[in-house]
Amino acid sequence: MRNFLIFISLLLIAPTFSLAKPLQKEQKTIYVSSQSGQRALFGAKRLMSNLSKFGYAVKLTVIDSKTKFQKGKSAIVIGTATDQSFAKFFPQTIKNKAATAGKEGYAIAHDKDGTLYLIGADQSGTLYSCIDLEEKIAANKNQIPNQLNSVDKPHMVLRGTCIGLQKPDYLPGRDVYEYPYTPESFPWFYDKNLWIQYLDMMVENRFNSLYLWNGHPFSSLVKLKDYPYALEVDEATFKKNEEMFRFLTAEADKRGIWVIQMFYNILIPKPFAEKHNLKTQDRNRPIIPLIADYTRKSIAAFVEKYPNVGIMVALGEAMEGVGQDDIDWFTKTIIPGVKDGLKAAGIKEEPPIVLRAHDTYAPGVMEAALPIYKNLYTENKFNGEALTTYEPRGAWAELNRTLSKIGTMNISNVHILANLEPFRYGSAGFIQKSVTAMDKIYGAKGLHLYPQSGYWDWPYTADKIVERQLQVDRDWIWYKEWARYAWNPYRDRTKEINYWGAQLADKFGTDLNAGKAILNAYEESGEVSPKLLRRYGITDGNRQTLTLGMLMTQLINPYRYNLFTLMYESEAPEGEMIIEYAEKEWNKQGHIGETPVQIAREVVEHSKKALASINQASATITKDKEEFRRLKNDMYCYDAMANFYAEKVKSALWILRYKYSNNVEDLEKALPSLEKSVNFYADLVKLTEDEYLYANSMQTKQRKIPMRGVDKTFIHWKEMLPVFTQELNHFKKSIDSLKSVKPGAVVKVIPFQNADVQLISPNLTYQVAKAATVFSDTTSQIKEVTEKLDGLKAVQLAMKSQIINGTEIKFSTKNPVKLLVGYFNEKNPKYAPAPQLEIDASANNYGQSEIKIANGIIINGFPPVNVHAYSFAAGKHTLTINKGACLVLGFIDDKQEFRIFNAGLDGRGRDIDWLFE
């Protein structure tokens, strides 16, 4: 009955196409089967519409196994190789090609009698054959080619895009990722026309999966009998959410798109948390039976209600990362919840579950899960939360290879892109090589693609336009390039240049040569941000916004800012950091691989070529001139940014030389380049001030580099120019001071003073000093300690208990204080991991993510200790720290002066950050 209604609907609309244009070209009759599924019928409808636009007169005929169709040049037969109605009518050779093409594959061919067959290996393949024919007609001057004989299929099995139901800042009274589905927060979610536009973009590019990201969507989409108070939206909104989710999944399904709902663990809805006096999220909280029961029932209700929707699980960030808890949560809560939902719905086929490998040991989780659930996938980041290289290596590449070999399909995630936003990006060459790397180096068989910029502000771009610009419109080439190479990464490069040149020529109403020039501007500018971040950056995560620049201290002392070394070791070609290069220069040692000086030279050259190419095309543009103007301005932004970094790095190398030479003349040689860098940054401010609303769409306390972003501060270049100007002026004063200082002068160090704090936990204490015993169950003593920490009243903990249970400190204070915690500077299960925003979104809730005193304590037999500071208001508090040994060094008044510095007790050299602050 359902198929019959679809056929009637198609037949009713057929005359519209038939009458739309007289016989300007020959008439075509499209034949579809009475057994065709909705994807094949959707493809046929699309094809009818486009043939009409191309000038053909088109009519539709639905036939069954008892009806013959009229063969010949006017016939287009659309069907699936397994379709029983059409089986006996298909030419065997063409049918066999389609049937053996593979999942989502198809054959398009003319028979000897002129009949054109579009046959899919499955329903999605049939849909894609219609889209392929449309493209072939458009490329052939809007005419159906005379002889067609092709077979095609996708290389990547899953090709998906991502939309975040998240915001640039926190909702009042809520924490990170906590965004219920409401019209107030997400008005676009309820816009059906916008969804149709987006889904049509996806199907045109042959994407077959859509990931919806949210912290805890269940409390917006399902009601639970046992926990009715967990619902976070009112009844009217709940009904709207049901309607929209059903609409979205139905429209996606007819386009061959699988909707996947993502969620974080362990995260609970606010009303549920308040009723049970719990936090909505607490990374160090053990699994509580009440929360496990609620989560299992939420998943079961969701699966029962939406059995055709996949789920994606992030075990990290909101719960302990690597460990037994994540395995237990996945195998004892999530998978049982899915099974409960299937049983309630009477469904035997397992829906797919995607495990996000972020901040969990995915191979171990999969090993435990595969015996009880088979339809599992893993997903892992390609270059972290950035785009840095198409030559990944090291531990990250090995992890991805491991995930690809464990018996489940691994999906590569192009995530956040914190180094690209907000400028336009469309380097087809870089993207093609990246997808090839996913396949060859990682062994991945899926793509999970984030928006190019503005993820947290979906659906809008950061462009400063009266009517906000949609990402799907501005960044059309981003989606199209990744999709094209996910379908087939092994395309001939020369032909690809012509293809993209033609695409851009059509976009901007110009000729092929100008289209190629625009492409070259994209290609050259597309090298700038990846190279800058991988050679100078602090992190591949979104706590750094590359386009806003970097402080000099971040270039010359990156470890102070919790340097994420994996970026250099795995997500960049072999090479040297700025500090490594400077040390080798001083010691007259040879250099290895990609160097900071090389990159400074290359990014300037790339941006120079991008400007030449975009200016070459400028005079020929006849369409979409305003968008071309914005694209051209972005090329000038890349140029100003490249020169800013290049000059600042030149300056940094002279400053680092001073660290070894102690010669003020080296600092004087650094000054001209630093002045130039500020001038180039001023140019960048002028280029962006009237063009962009912001540089970064995440505008919360998670952002740290170059400046901490709180309450939407330091989100625009004009806010950073005074910072860089002040940095320059301070440097000039430092040089003058060094010239006037008397030899042998020593600055007196004033130690921190203990704050008046009442410990509630029954713990022993000790005074920080040389020879002090730091753990109650070992004889380990302090060998060296910076004078700033001398005399602090530290808490003496049992190391064994810290390793097994973690650390908990309860205290009360009448005044705001800072609690100083020492983390051992080595990755080891027996040491508590230092706060790290790359894997823990709560890692800066107390301002603790940055190292305040680097290498401040040396304990016999242990790595150097870095000191972090946790800020607390007056009142009673409980601080929990991950499992592993650490030092609780005591409390100081929150207002006490605290200059960040490197104590240098590791023997690697003195701190010169004071030159700039």
Side-chain angles (χ1 to χ4, degrees):
M1 182 64 182
R2 183 168 175 273
N3 277 340
F4 176 75
L5 292 175
I6 294 173
F7 307 144
I8 294 298
S9 173
L10 280 171
L11 285 170
L12 287 174
I13 64 170
T16 302
F17 296 99
S18 181
L19 298 174
K21 286 189 179 284
L23 290 177
Q24 298 174 12
K25 295 183 181 180
E26 71 267 27
Q27 182 168 325
K28 295 293 180 181
T29 301
I30 293 179
Y31 295 95
V32 295
S33 164
S34 60
Q35 299 302 310
S36 291
Q38 62 175 348
R39 293 178 188 175
L41 292 169
F42 180 83
K45 181 179 176 181
R46 270 186 57 103
L47 181 58
M48 287 173 63
S49 176
N50 282 294
L51 284 174
S52 180
K53 291 175 184 177
F54 293 144
Y56 289 91
V58 189
K59 67 177 181 179
L60 173 74
T61 301
V62 179
I63 66 173
D64 56 28
S65 59
K66 298 178 182 178
T67 309
K68 292 184 178 181
F69 54 83
Q70 187 68 42
K71 296 183 179 182
K73 293 183 179 180
S74 66
I76 301 176
V77 182
I78 301 174
T80 305
T82 56
D83 192 317
Q84 296 302 311
S85 298
F86 268 11
K88 61 184 179 181
F89 300 133
F90 290 146
Q92 196 62 41
T93 302
I94 302 175
K95 178 183 175 182
N96 288 344
K97 287 180 180 179
T100 57
K103 186 178 180 182
E104 297 184 311
Y106 57 86
I108 300 176
H110 280 102
D111 200 11
K112 294 177 182 178
D113 57 20
T115 306
L116 180 57
Y117 290 92
L118 280 64
I119 308 175
D122 50 28
Q123 285 285 319
S124 290
T126 306
L127 166 59
Y128 294 146
S129 71
C130 297
I131 295 171
D132 191 355
L133 180 59
E134 294 168 17
E135 293 174 353
K136 285 178 165 60
I137 296 170
N140 193 46
K141 299 180 179 178
N142 295 344
Q143 297 182 45
I144 298 175
N146 290 329
Q147 289 297 322
L148 288 170
N149 186 7
S150 64
V151 178
D152 206 355
K153 67 174 182 178
H155 191 84
M156 289 286 191
V157 176
L158 285 177
R159 306 169 304 282
T161 62
C162 162
I163 290 177
L165 279 101
Q166 306 190 106
K167 305 283 290 179
D169 50 356
Y170 295 172
L171 294 179
R174 291 184 177 273
D175 209 335
V176 62
Y177 305 129
E178 296 178 20
Y179 303 104
Y181 292 8
T182 67
E184 294 76 23
S185 292
F186 307 108
W188 56 264
F189 180 74
Y190 305 89
D191 187 339
K192 292 182 179 180
N193 290 331
L194 184 61
W195 276 120
I196 293 297
Q197 179 186 356
Y198 187 78
L199 294 172
D200 282 346
M201 177 280 292
M202 292 186 69
V203 73
E204 285 164 9
N205 288 305
R206 298 179 180 86
F207 286 115
N208 65 0
S209 44
L210 169 61
Y211 299 80
L212 302 178
W213 280 61
N214 186 267
H216 189 76
F218 307 118
S219 54
S220 297
L221 297 170
V222 295
K223 293 180 183 178
L224 301 181
K225 182 179 65 174
D226 293 345
Y227 304 102
Y229 49 85
L231 189 67
E232 291 198 90
V233 298
D234 58 43
E235 191 63 31
T237 300
F238 179 71
K239 289 180 179 178
K240 285 182 182 179
N241 291 346
E242 285 184 312
E243 178 195 353
M244 286 308 305
F245 216 76
R246 290 194 177 106
F247 165 81
L248 172 59
T249 53
E251 289 295 328
D253 186 55
K254 72 171 67 169
R255 292 167 175 80
I257 298 166
W258 165 38
V259 176
I260 304 165
Q261 179 66 67
M262 176 270 182
F263 58 98
Y264 284 95
N265 295 276
I266 301 172
L267 200 154
I268 55 178
K270 188 176 181 181
F272 180 94
E274 289 173 345
K275 182 175 178 63
H276 295 286
N277 196 28
L278 297 166
K279 292 182 179 180
T280 54
Q281 48 187 301
D282 181 352
R283 181 178 174 85
N284 301 308
R285 174 170 53 200
I287 294 174
I288 297 173
L290 173 68
I291 297 178
D293 184 66
Y294 161 74
T295 304
R296 177 172 176 170
K297 287 175 178 173
S298 294
I299 293 170
F302 181 80
V303 171
E304 181 182 4
K305 193 172 187 178
Y306 306 107
N308 295 321
V309 178
I311 62 172
M312 180 175 178
V313 181
L315 291 177
E317 293 209 29
M319 69 179 295
E320 180 188 22
V322 179
Q324 188 60 41
D325 279 359
D326 53 356
I327 294 175
D328 289 344
W329 190 252
F330 193 68
T331 58
K332 297 179 181 180
T333 297
I334 292 172
I335 291 178
V338 173
K339 288 186 172 183
D340 291 346
L342 293 175
K343 184 177 179 181
I347 297 172
K348 294 183 178 180
E349 185 178 357
E350 294 178 342
I353 301 176
V354 183
L355 172 67
R356 189 183 181 209
H358 171 70
D359 192 29
T360 188
Y361 184 59
V365 177
M366 287 288 104
E367 182 181 0
L370 278 168
I372 60 175
Y373 200 92
K374 300 302 179 187
N375 200 10
L376 297 173
Y377 297 75
T378 56
E379 178 260 24
N380 203 28
K381 295 172 183 173
F382 176 58
N383 285 164
E385 295 179 347
L387 189 63
T388 58
T389 185
Y390 42 76
E391 297 176 323
R393 61 192 177 93
W396 197 246
E398 189 56 41
L399 171 62
N400 277 278
R401 283 192 289 268
T402 300
L403 293 173
S404 297
K405 294 175 182 177
I406 60 178
T408 61
M409 183 186 299
N410 190 34
I411 303 164
S412 267
N413 174 211
V414 179
H415 199 83
I416 291 291
L417 292 313
N419 66 326
L420 301 190
E421 72 170 348
F423 307 137
R424 288 156 178 79
Y425 189 94
S427 175
F430 203 108
I431 289 172
Q432 182 175 12
K433 291 174 184 176
S434 295
V435 181
T436 304
M438 292 175 185
D439 182 44
K440 284 188 172 182
I441 298 176
Y442 285 174
K445 295 303 176 188
L447 167 71
H448 177 191
L449 181 68
Y450 265 58
Q452 187 256 301
S453 69
Y455 164 77
W456 300 93
D457 199 17
W458 180 266
Y460 302 113
T461 72
D463 295 84
K464 196 174 183 179
I465 304 173
V466 174
E467 185 176 346
R468 295 289 299 276
Q469 191 176 26
L470 295 175
Q471 293 177 28
V472 70
D473 291 332
R474 190 197 88 159
D475 299 325
W476 65 275
I477 197 167
W478 170 262
Y479 292 105
K480 197 173 188 68
E481 286 174 344
W482 284 101
R484 182 171 175 81
Y485 298 120
W487 184 273
N488 178 11
Y490 301 104
R491 300 177 190 265
D492 179 76
R493 176 65 179 151
T494 302
K495 292 179 180 178
E496 289 304 287
I497 292 173
N498 286 326
Y499 173 82
W500 291 112
Q503 292 286 313
L504 288 162
D506 181 64
K507 166 73 174 174
F508 294 111
T510 186
D511 58 30
L512 181 60
N513 285 335
K516 288 182 179 180
I518 299 169
L519 174 64
N520 193 60
Y522 270 127
E523 304 273 27
E524 294 291 348
S525 64
E527 295 286 343
V528 174
S529 290
K531 286 186 175 182
L532 288 175
L533 186 69
R534 77 192 190 202
R535 198 48 53 206
Y536 307 148
I538 297 294
T539 175
D540 67 2
N542 61 14
R543 67 183 170 102
Q544 174 167 5
T545 303
L546 178 84
T547 58
L548 281 177
M550 292 174 67
L551 304 177
M552 182 59 82
T553 54
Q554 290 161 354
L555 296 176
I556 65 174
N557 188 12
Y559 285 100
R560 160 183 163 181
Y561 296 90
N562 198 9
L563 179 71
F564 190 65
T565 57
L566 184 69
M567 178 176 66
Y568 288 93
E569 296 160 356
S570 288
E571 297 160 6
E574 185 178 18
E576 297 170 2
M577 292 187 294
I578 295 172
I579 55 175
E580 293 171 327
Y581 184 91
E583 184 178 12
K584 287 186 176 183
E585 280 287 288
W586 178 255
N587 293 322
K588 295 182 171 55
Q589 296 174 323
H591 297 289
I592 298 173
E594 192 175 76
T595 68
V597 173
Q598 170 194 340
I599 291 305
R601 181 178 64 252
E602 288 181 1
V603 294
V604 170
E605 187 64 24
H606 284 308
S607 61
K608 181 180 178 181
K609 290 178 179 178
L611 287 184
S613 292
I614 204 71
N615 285 321
Q616 175 188 334
S618 292
T620 67
I621 304 303
T622 63
K623 285 168 53 180
D624 214 347
K625 291 184 178 182
E626 186 58 23
E627 175 58 21
F628 181 81
R629 185 197 66 77
R630 290 190 287 265
L631 172 62
K632 182 177 177 179
N633 189 71
D634 278 357
M635 296 303 149
Y636 279 87
C637 290
Y638 276 116
D639 181 64
M641 181 176 70
N643 279 281
F644 159 78
Y645 272 105
E647 292 298 334
K648 196 153 191 174
V649 167
K650 291 176 190 175
S651 179
L653 290 171
W654 281 112
I655 291 162
L656 285 167
R657 182 176 178 83
Y658 164 77
K659 182 177 180 179
Y660 302 104
S661 71
N662 206 30
N663 187 342
V664 180
E665 289 182 2
D666 288 332
L667 297 182
E668 292 178 313
K669 290 176 182 178
L671 187 55
S673 288
L674 189 57
E675 289 175 327
K676 287 181 183 178
S677 76
V678 174
N679 291 335
F680 278 118
Y681 200 86
D683 292 340
L684 183 58
V685 171
K686 291 176 184 176
L687 289 164
T688 56
E689 189 164 11
D690 295 326
E691 298 292 334
Y692 281 103
L693 297 169
Y694 54 76
N696 38 26
S697 62
M698 186 181 75
Q699 298 162 7
T700 65
K701 58 189 175 184
Q702 272 74 29
R703 291 187 303 107
K704 295 287 292 179
I705 314 294
M707 297 291 286
R708 185 175 183 228
V710 180
D711 299 328
K712 297 189 176 184
T713 55
F714 296 106
I715 65 174
H716 200 280
W717 300 265
K718 63 185 179 184
E719 295 175 88
M720 285 302 305
L721 182 57
V723 176
F724 292 132
T725 302
Q726 183 181 6
E727 184 181 59
L728 173 62
N729 292 335
H730 195 288
F731 182 56
K732 290 177 180 179
K733 290 179 181 178
S734 295
I735 293 175
D736 291 340
S737 298
L738 285 169
K739 287 181 176 180
S740 61
V741 72
K742 295 179 180 179
V746 178
V747 178
K748 184 179 180 181
V749 177
I750 301 174
F752 291 131
Q753 299 299 305
N754 287 295
D756 184 14
V757 171
Q758 181 70 41
L759 281 174
I760 300 173
S761 307
N763 294 116
L764 301 173
T765 60
Y766 67 95
Q767 189 175 36
V768 175
K770 285 186 179 181
T773 301
V774 296
F775 298 114
S776 63
D777 57 346
T778 77
T779 58
S780 302
Q781 294 182 334
I782 294 176
K783 181 181 179 182
E784 292 184 75
V785 59
T786 177
E787 292 174 84
K788 289 296 291 184
L789 299 174
D790 254 338
L792 282 181
K793 185 179 178 182
V795 181
Q796 192 179 58
L797 301 164
M799 181 177 175
K800 184 177 180 180
S801 176
Q802 285 184 301
I803 294 172
I804 297 173
N805 303 313
T807 300
E808 182 179 88
I809 300 295
K810 293 183 178 182
F811 63 95
S812 65
T813 175
K814 294 180 180 179
N815 299 298
V817 295
K818 284 186 175 71
L819 170 58
L820 305 186
V821 177
Y823 289 95
F824 294 104
N825 190 15
E826 180 182 302
K827 291 182 179 179
N828 189 312
K830 67 181 180 181
Y831 303 137
Q836 190 173 340
L837 281 165
E838 281 78 10
I839 60 172
D840 179 7
S842 66
N844 201 42
N845 283 359
Y846 304 97
Q848 77 271 30
S849 69
E850 189 173 65
I851 297 172
K852 300 297 185 182
I853 303 176
N855 306 299
I857 300 178
I858 301 295
I859 297 171
N860 289 313
F862 288 82
V865 174
N866 295 328
V867 180
H868 294 244
Y870 292 71
S871 292
F872 294 93
K876 290 184 178 181
H877 301 281
T878 299
L879 175 65
T880 56
I881 298 174
N882 276 358
K883 295 174 184 176
C886 64
L887 305 180
V888 179
L889 295 168
F891 298 86
I892 64 173
D893 190 282
D894 193 56
K895 294 179 181 179
Q896 192 166 164
E897 184 181 358
F898 200 146
R899 188 181 74 80
I900 299 170
F901 69 99
N902 180 5
L905 299 184
D906 60 341
R908 297 188 64 176
R910 59 199 176 98
D911 172 26
I912 56 173
D913 291 8
W914 55 268
L915 289 166
F916 298 95
E917 52 189 27

